[in-house]
Amino acid sequence: MKKPSRLPGGKPQGAREVAMSVLHNVEMLGAYSGLELNQALQASELSRPDAALATELVYGTIQRLNTIDHDLKSRVKGWPNKIEPWVRSLLRMSYYQLRWLTRVPAHAAVDEAVRIAKKRGHAGIGGLVNGVLRGLLREGFAAVLPESMPAAERISLTHSHPQWLVERWISEYGESVTEQMCTANNEPPHASARVNRMRASRDQVVAGLTDAGMEAIASPLAREGIIALKAGNLVHSDWYKQGWITVQDESSMLVAAVASPKPGMRVLDCCAAPGGKTTHLAEIMRNEGKIIANDVHPHKEALIKQQAERLGLTSVETMTGDALELPKRIEPQSCDVVLLDAPCSGFGVIRRKPEIKWNKTAEDIESLSRLQSELLSAVQSLVKPGGVLVYSTCTIASEENESTINRFLSQHPDFTLDANWPEEVLTPIRESGKLPETFAGMLQLLPQMFGSDGFFIARLRKQSQ
């Protein structure tokens, strides 16, 4: 079988060609949208407005994929499989732009798409693209879906999520919550960062960003979190370079806070790269004690070390290897806190990585759930009597979350759920009405709750001997 190649026709020029190239490579090569886009933008040297346009075209097109395909199927013979891949990407991107990106004049979008089609292909492809897009402008977009359509199919097409996933969510959360979740997944994520309590206070950083002309507010969810609007990429800011902040989602910040390690403790982060939770643990411990940060990928060890060095944290010790093998490398019952931020399906971060919803399957959820159970069973042996085990994922699949924890508890009766979470974590969740009345020590955050990632966190305690 011939291996798919990158987009033919030379280096992309302009925002739309760059976006088309990224979309092509995400679909045909399985590239990650964020990484592929960053590489393409660096290579293209687009202006800031053009880079913003390319970014919106990429993420918007992937987000709305099956809504777009549903409409184009009735307009383009053989859509989508009989259409050349790069032409698919061009038409999808142009459809998205005409329907949802209304600040760009329609004639400009059509003219540019036809120009790209002729440049990359030939006059016939240019004619196809021109005919399809002008037909859309003339006839309008997809008609209103019939009221008789089943809820899962309607939500799937309205909010562009795979129907199998919508059906799962409806069965678990109900139709209304599922629709809210799908709506939230199509909204752009806001930029957030965690303030390094060893270097500055949150008020200092918010004031500094505000003085620099950026919009910054304190996170209502995470104690050290800030939300930055119109701030650009915070990784390029002086606050980041000087180790005052770490770019991290607000939900993710809660994981180390729930672990609540104390200065002087010995802590293990089993799947640590790129180091966001590891360094947060070290900051909470005021850089006193030891955090062992393990990851299976040797090339990611450097990322953890770089983060710790940038933040001035000397208590972090890195190692590489399969987390299943950690009991062979670390003394049993030697850790006060063990954090397992497990590999997962990632359905809580669709807003940031929209291709996840198209690439993952129900079979992936099942296999990941088995792996997560194996990992928990392996690393629990490293927790001291009376110590804490925290399990987290960035997904909203119950098999990977509540079911995994319940199965673990049935197999390891020396562990119990621990609802004694720090009040700084519980208060904003309780005040927003999102804390279950039956809260026992595990919590599922959904993306529409706080505008942050969907996350699952469970805190377990090992009984004292």
Side-chain angles (χ1 to χ4, degrees):
M1 182 175 171
K2 186 178 179 182
K3 185 179 179 181
S5 61
R6 288 185 172 265
L7 181 73
K11 182 179 178 181
Q13 302 291 327
R16 293 171 182 84
E17 267 195 81
V18 167
M20 183 186 70
S21 172
V22 172
L23 290 167
H24 175 275
N25 292 338
V26 168
E27 180 184 18
M28 300 307 296
L29 303 177
Y32 294 110
S33 58
L35 294 175
E36 189 71 19
L37 180 62
N38 286 338
Q39 292 172 1
L41 292 179
Q42 289 174 9
S44 64
E45 300 179 348
L46 293 176
S47 67
R48 187 167 178 175
D50 278 351
L53 174 60
T55 299
E56 187 160 5
L57 289 174
V58 167
Y59 286 124
T61 301
I62 297 172
Q63 282 171 340
R64 300 287 183 175
L65 188 61
N66 73 337
T67 305
I68 295 170
D69 280 357
H70 177 71
D71 198 2
L72 289 180
K73 191 172 184 178
S74 64
R75 301 173 188 267
V76 183
K77 187 177 180 180
W79 186 269
N81 295 331
K82 293 185 179 179
I83 305 300
E84 202 168 339
W86 70 268
V87 181
R88 280 202 302 265
S89 295
L90 176 59
L91 280 171
R92 285 167 172 162
M93 175 189 76
S94 302
Y95 182 109
Y96 172 79
Q97 188 168 347
L98 291 173
R99 182 168 178 178
W100 286 287
L101 204 53
T102 52
R103 71 174 182 271
V104 178
H107 65 85
V110 174
D111 290 348
E112 179 67 4
V114 173
R115 184 195 68 78
I116 294 171
K118 290 178 178 177
K119 173 187 172 184
R120 296 274 169 183
H122 50 73
I125 295 178
L128 169 68
V129 169
N130 185 61
V132 171
L133 299 183
R134 294 201 181 280
L136 285 166
L137 295 177
R138 184 174 59 251
E139 300 160 15
F141 296 94
V144 176
L145 299 173
E147 292 184 10
S148 60
M149 180 176 282
E153 187 178 358
R154 177 186 60 78
I155 293 172
S156 170
L157 291 174
T158 302
H159 302 288
S160 212
H161 281 64
Q163 189 170 327
W164 72 268
L165 189 57
V166 174
E167 288 170 348
R168 286 172 58 93
W169 289 347
I170 288 176
S171 68
E172 191 163 348
Y173 298 105
E175 184 179 331
S176 177
V177 171
T178 296
E179 188 148 21
Q180 292 170 25
M181 189 153 43
C182 292
T183 300
N185 284 341
N186 287 330
E187 295 169 353
H190 58 235
S192 59
R194 184 189 79 238
V195 175
N196 179 1
R197 62 172 75 181
M198 302 287 293
R199 293 267 171 97
S201 71
R202 180 163 70 173
D203 288 345
Q204 282 179 293
V205 175
V206 169
L209 290 169
T210 303
D211 290 344
M214 305 176 195
E215 295 179 27
I217 59 172
S219 164
L221 181 61
R223 175 179 165 184
E224 279 107 17
I226 60 171
I227 299 170
L229 307 173
K230 300 178 182 177
N233 190 339
L234 290 171
V235 171
H236 302 313
S237 69
D238 288 339
W239 290 273
Y240 181 88
K241 295 173 184 175
Q242 293 169 9
W244 287 29
I245 62 172
T246 294
V247 175
Q248 188 178 24
D249 182 78
E250 295 164 273
S251 293
S252 181
M253 296 177 205
L254 300 184
V255 176
V258 168
S260 191
K262 302 295 184 287
M265 281 186 169
R266 178 181 169 92
V267 176
L268 170 64
D269 187 353
C270 302
C271 306
K277 297 177 184 68
T278 293
T279 52
H280 195 189
L281 291 165
E283 290 165 9
I284 292 171
M285 293 165 63
R286 305 203 62 77
N287 202 29
E288 298 172 17
K290 177 185 283 191
I291 299 96
I292 303 168
N294 175 76
D295 200 83
V296 69
H297 302 291
H299 68 280
K300 290 186 176 180
E301 182 180 17
L303 298 177
I304 305 170
K305 288 182 176 179
Q306 289 166 8
Q307 292 293 340
E309 184 177 346
R310 180 181 64 81
L311 296 163
L313 301 169
T314 56
S315 58
V316 175
E317 176 185 299
T318 62
M319 59 188 290
T320 60
D322 188 337
L324 291 170
E325 302 296 318
L326 285 172
K328 298 178 182 178
R329 306 177 64 191
I330 296 176
E331 186 180 349
Q333 302 189 62
S334 63
C335 299
D336 299 282
V337 176
V338 171
L339 168 59
L340 176 60
D341 185 51
C344 71
S345 56
F347 289 125
V349 296
I350 288 173
R351 188 189 276 125
R352 300 179 189 280
K353 302 175 181 178
E355 67 271 19
I356 282 175
K357 61 186 175 183
W358 309 120
N359 294 346
K360 297 293 183 182
T361 66
E363 290 72 28
D364 291 327
I365 293 173
E366 292 176 13
S367 63
L368 284 162
S369 177
R370 289 192 293 271
L371 172 61
Q372 292 151 357
S373 291
E374 291 173 10
L375 288 167
L376 271 172
S377 292
V379 303
Q380 59 80 27
S381 63
L382 305 176
V383 182
K384 286 181 178 179
V388 168
L389 172 61
V390 172
Y391 174 81
S392 65
T393 73
C394 60
T395 195
I396 48 183
S398 59
E399 294 96 324
E400 300 179 66
N401 296 336
E402 294 91 345
S403 296
T404 294
I405 291 299
N406 289 331
R407 183 164 54 250
F408 172 80
L409 291 171
S410 70
Q411 296 169 350
H412 299 276
D414 53 335
F415 280 87
T416 56
L417 276 169
D418 183 2
N420 188 31
W421 288 23
E423 198 55 41
E424 70 181 73
V425 176
L426 291 178
T427 296
I429 300 171
R430 185 188 297 113
E431 290 178 349
S432 70
K434 306 301 182 186
L435 190 69
E437 292 183 12
T438 56
F439 177 70
M442 59 180 172
L443 181 68
Q444 177 71 71
L445 294 175
L446 302 177
Q448 73 272 24
M449 288 180 174
F450 298 96
S452 57
D453 291 345
F455 244 84
F456 176 81
I457 308 171
R459 176 181 163 105
L460 308 160
R461 187 171 291 279
K462 190 173 188 177
Q463 68 183 38
S464 302
Q465 292 178 340

